[in-house]
């Protein structure tokens, strides 16, 4: 049972396993099916074990994690989850078709050459060919990170829900810097159309450039997104369950500061972009457990690769 698990620093250092995965092996969630604890994962059961409340009216303060040497082991996972939640709440999930784990800092993917026309073929003729070959150039992964300085004395009386929001905000901003690279990869060598003044007709024209693929997502800067939202043709448009505006032709409008004010990107999110990472969010767990919060780093090493160039089109706004 979860009450009998021995918590120690070594659970963070098991090769190929996250802290939660290591806990799940010791305390499988499947064992709680049909019980009041079935909706909790192994980490959340440990929070319950030590009566650590991370939200609500009776939310605890940071120092509650350090009531015992074992409960202190849970603190790095709390910090990581908060930052990851902020990271995952950004547009990355809305623009990436696949996520790949790489074992090194360089990733060599495959390239599809499918340029031959899809037409009928006489019985005696060979079928048109599509070839998959290894990429000639590797995607080099880069590290994105942040140094967090906050002494234990400064945060120990801080409510966990408020401290968690601060950490989430770091995750959001970290993700925006990562998304900037994703946007650069999407724009590079993409088919484009131009306009001198953005109108709804231009958005419709961008939609019309997609043939085999569909434009599921429109990526725009906050300034351009606000202009699109203010268009008369969008006055009766709906929002989806995530609060994102759905354009009349079915594309989701994604607003990000990573996009430029002169470029609107249309993609089919199911085919356009591959997110490659060699790590999950990396944090100095020992320092967090030992309450040495003065110099804590959080980082992720990742990169992007365009999978299907035909699934990306851009609208460039030129100045006259």
């Amino acid at each position: 049972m979860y009450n009998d698990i021995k918590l120690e620093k070594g659970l963070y250092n098991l090769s190929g396993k996250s802290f939660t995965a290591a806990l799940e092996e010791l305390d499988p969630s499947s064992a709680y099916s049909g019980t009041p604890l079935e909706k909790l994962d192994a980490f959340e059961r440990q929070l319950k074990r030590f009566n650590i409340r991370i939200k609500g009216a009776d939310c605890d303060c940071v120092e509650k994690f350090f009531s015992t040497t074992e409960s202190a082991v849970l603190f790095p996972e709390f910090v990581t989850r908060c930052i990851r939640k902020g990271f995952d709440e950004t547009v990355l999930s809305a623009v990436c078709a696949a996520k790949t784990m790489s074992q090194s800092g360089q990733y060599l993917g495959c390239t599809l050459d499918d340029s031959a026309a899809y037409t009928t073929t006489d019985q005696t003729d060979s079928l048109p060919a599509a070839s998959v070959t290894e990429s000639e150039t590797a995607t080099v992964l880069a590290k994105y990170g942040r140094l967090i300085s906050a002494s234990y004395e400064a945060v120990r009386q801080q409510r966990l829900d408020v401290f968690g929001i601060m950490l989430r905000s770091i995750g959001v901003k970290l993700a925006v810097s990562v998304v900037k690279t994703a946007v650069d990869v999407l724009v590079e060598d993409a088919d484009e159309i131009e306009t001198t003044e953005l109108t709804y007709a231009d958005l419709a024209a961008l939609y019309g450039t997609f043939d085999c693929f569909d434009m599921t997502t429109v990526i725009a800067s906050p300034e351009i997104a606000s202009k699109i939202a203010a268009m008369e043709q969008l006055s009766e448009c709906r929002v989806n369950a995530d609060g994102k505006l759905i354009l009349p032709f079915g594309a989701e409008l994604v607003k990000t500061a990573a996009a430029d004010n002169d470029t609107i990107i249309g993609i089919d999110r199911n085919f356009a972009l591959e997110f490659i990472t060699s790590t999950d969010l990396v944090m100095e767990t020992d320092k967090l457990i030992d309450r040495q919060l003065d110099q804590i780093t959080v980082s992720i090493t990742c990169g992007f690769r365009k999978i299907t160039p035909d699934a990306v089109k851009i609208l460039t706004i030129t100045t006259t």
Side-chain angles (χ1 to χ4, degrees):
M1 292 293 290
Y2 68 98
N3 285 317
D4 302 321
I5 301 299
K6 176 66 175 175
L7 296 178
E8 54 188 3
K9 294 180 181 180
L11 292 172
Y12 285 100
N13 301 315
L14 298 178
S15 178
K17 295 179 184 177
S18 66
F19 178 75
T20 297
L23 277 183
E24 285 286 349
E25 284 197 359
L26 298 172
D27 180 37
S29 292
S30 58
Y32 297 89
S33 179
T35 74
L37 301 179
E38 67 177 343
K39 294 184 179 180
L40 303 181
D41 65 20
F43 172 72
E44 292 166 334
R45 287 192 291 275
Q46 291 303 310
L47 293 180
K48 179 176 177 61
R49 170 187 176 184
F50 292 100
N51 195 30
I52 300 173
R53 294 161 299 211
I54 61 175
K55 59 184 177 181
D58 298 324
C59 180
D60 287 311
C61 295
V62 170
E63 65 180 359
K64 184 63 175 288
F65 273 104
F66 299 95
S67 300
T68 71
T69 55
E70 282 197 273
S71 61
V73 175
L74 299 172
F75 187 59
E77 178 66 8
F78 168 76
V79 173
T80 301
R81 286 190 177 209
C82 291
I83 296 176
R84 185 188 295 116
K85 182 174 176 58
F87 190 90
D88 292 342
E89 286 175 345
T90 58
V91 303
L92 276 176
S93 59
V95 302
C96 295
K99 180 179 179 180
T100 300
M101 294 298 297
S102 174
Q103 298 302 314
S104 69
Q106 295 190 3
Y107 173 73
L108 201 61
C110 294
T111 300
L112 172 65
D113 182 356
D114 194 21
S115 56
Y118 278 78
T119 61
T120 58
T121 304
D122 293 336
Q123 290 186 356
T124 56
D125 294 339
S126 299
L127 291 171
S131 59
V132 177
T133 57
E134 190 174 64
S135 299
E136 295 182 357
T137 58
T139 299
V140 179
L141 309 187
K143 178 181 285 189
Y144 304 82
R146 200 70 171 174
L147 176 67
I148 305 171
S149 297
S151 70
Y152 175 70
E153 289 303 317
V155 301
R156 69 185 186 87
Q157 291 294 330
Q158 181 65 61
R159 282 171 56 102
L160 284 168
D161 53 357
V162 177
F163 187 56
I165 290 171
M166 295 177 184
L167 295 171
R168 281 172 57 193
S169 73
I170 293 173
V172 169
K173 292 178 180 179
L174 180 60
V176 169
S177 67
V178 173
V179 172
K180 176 59 178 173
T181 301
V183 167
D184 291 343
V185 170
L186 288 171
V187 169
E188 185 178 7
D189 298 326
D191 294 338
E192 68 175 314
I193 58 176
E194 295 184 353
T195 184
T196 57
E197 185 176 353
L198 179 62
T199 65
Y200 180 75
D202 295 318
L203 291 178
L206 180 63
Y207 172 69
T209 61
F210 287 78
D211 43 23
C212 294
F213 301 98
D214 195 13
M215 187 169 76
T216 64
T217 309
V218 171
I219 305 168
S221 69
E223 178 181 326
I224 297 301
S226 67
K227 292 180 179 179
I228 293 173
M231 290 178 177
E232 181 182 353
Q233 292 85 351
L234 274 67
S235 61
E236 296 183 4
C237 285
R238 62 181 178 87
V239 296
N240 62 16
D242 297 323
K244 297 291 192 302
L245 183 64
I246 305 300
L247 303 181
F249 34 81
E252 177 184 295
L253 178 62
V254 170
K255 173 176 67 69
T256 175
D260 295 330
N261 287 332
D262 60 357
T263 304
I264 298 173
I265 309 167
I267 67 170
D268 188 329
R269 61 167 293 185
N270 300 304
F271 298 95
L273 194 66
E274 181 180 12
F275 176 43
I276 307 144
T277 179
S278 61
T279 65
D280 195 355
L281 287 172
V282 176
M283 195 164 300
E284 297 166 291
T285 56
D286 285 356
K287 286 187 175 182
L288 288 172
I289 294 169
D290 295 336
R291 289 182 280 190
Q292 299 173 13
L293 278 66
D294 291 343
Q295 298 286 312
I296 303 300
T297 61
V298 57
S299 64
I300 185 170
T301 302
C302 60
F304 297 89
R305 190 177 71 93
K306 196 183 301 184
I307 302 174
T308 310
D310 288 347
V312 183
K313 311 287 182 180
I314 62 174
L315 170 62
T316 301
I317 306 169
T318 61
T319 56
T320 56

